[in-house]
Amino acid sequence: MELTKGRPGTVSWLYILLIFLGVGALGGGGALVIDPSGDLMKMPTSMLERSPFSDFLFPGILLFIVFGLLPLLIVYGLIKRPQWHLVERLNPFKKLYSFWALSLYIGFGQIIWITVQTYMLNSVAMIHLIYMSLGLLIQAVTILPSVQSYFSLDGGTERR
């Protein structure tokens, strides 16, 4: 089945939003892993006073994996539609393709990540507003009827 034929523009927007999140987090997380002092990103470790971390290594690893690699894996899954048992088990929406649910989850995760980050840093910067909005946009686009319809399973392929 050719997945690009008949794909609504909203689905393309979902792919773009997830790729933007993934690429941005790979860059930011990678920079924090390379230089846990934060100097590379012009972020002093004093920013971490309200956090359990003494440097940016662990947050950088989380950022790189959870918000860098995972959104790109979700895009792959949405396009190629592999049947991965673990992903299917995480999907409570049995009439929708399992990677659709991961898209919704990554939007929630992004909102939580930014909320916790702004609390720990005790400040809000423009980048927080942008990435909080990105999490909200990913959720909003994911739940659009046209996106849900595109990723709905027909009766013959519904999981039990």
Side-chain angles (χ1 to χ4, degrees):
M1 170 161 107
E2 177 64 39
L3 296 177
T4 57
K5 288 186 180 172
R7 179 178 63 215
T10 51
V11 171
S12 296
W13 274 109
L14 180 59
Y15 296 162
I16 291 166
L17 293 170
L18 289 167
I19 290 168
F20 183 82
L21 175 60
V23 170
L26 287 176
L32 294 175
V33 169
I34 290 168
D35 180 15
S37 73
D39 289 343
L40 186 62
M41 303 266 305
K42 305 211 183 323
M43 295 171 32
T45 54
S46 62
M47 294 175 76
L48 298 172
E49 288 175 356
R50 292 181 65 176
S51 81
F53 311 110
S54 59
D55 64 25
F56 291 100
L57 179 62
F58 189 71
I61 292 169
L62 282 177
L63 182 60
F64 188 86
I65 294 171
V66 176
F67 298 104
L69 296 177
L70 187 55
L72 299 177
L73 180 67
I74 292 169
V75 172
Y76 169 82
L78 291 172
I79 292 170
K80 295 294 187 179
R81 298 188 188 207
Q83 298 298 313
W84 293 351
H85 183 67
L86 175 62
V87 176
E88 290 181 20
R89 290 186 58 189
L90 295 172
N91 182 15
F93 308 98
K94 299 305 180 194
K95 293 185 179 191
L96 292 166
Y97 182 60
S98 55
F99 279 84
W100 176 90
L102 290 185
S103 177
L104 193 61
Y105 297 161
I106 204 71
F108 278 119
Q110 179 66 19
I111 292 165
I112 293 167
W113 173 265
I114 297 297
T115 301
V116 169
Q117 187 177 50
T118 56
Y119 170 77
M120 286 185 183
L121 298 177
N122 199 28
S123 69
V124 177
M126 182 57 72
I127 194 78
H128 297 123
L129 298 175
I130 291 168
Y131 277 92
M132 176 70 78
S133 298
L134 181 58
L136 290 167
L137 270 172
I138 288 170
Q139 287 184 309
V141 173
T142 299
I143 63 171
L144 286 173
S146 59
V147 173
Q148 288 187 53
S149 175
Y150 185 75
F151 292 111
S152 69
L153 300 171
D154 60 20
T157 59
E158 185 175 331
R159 292 175 300 283
R160 296 179 205 327

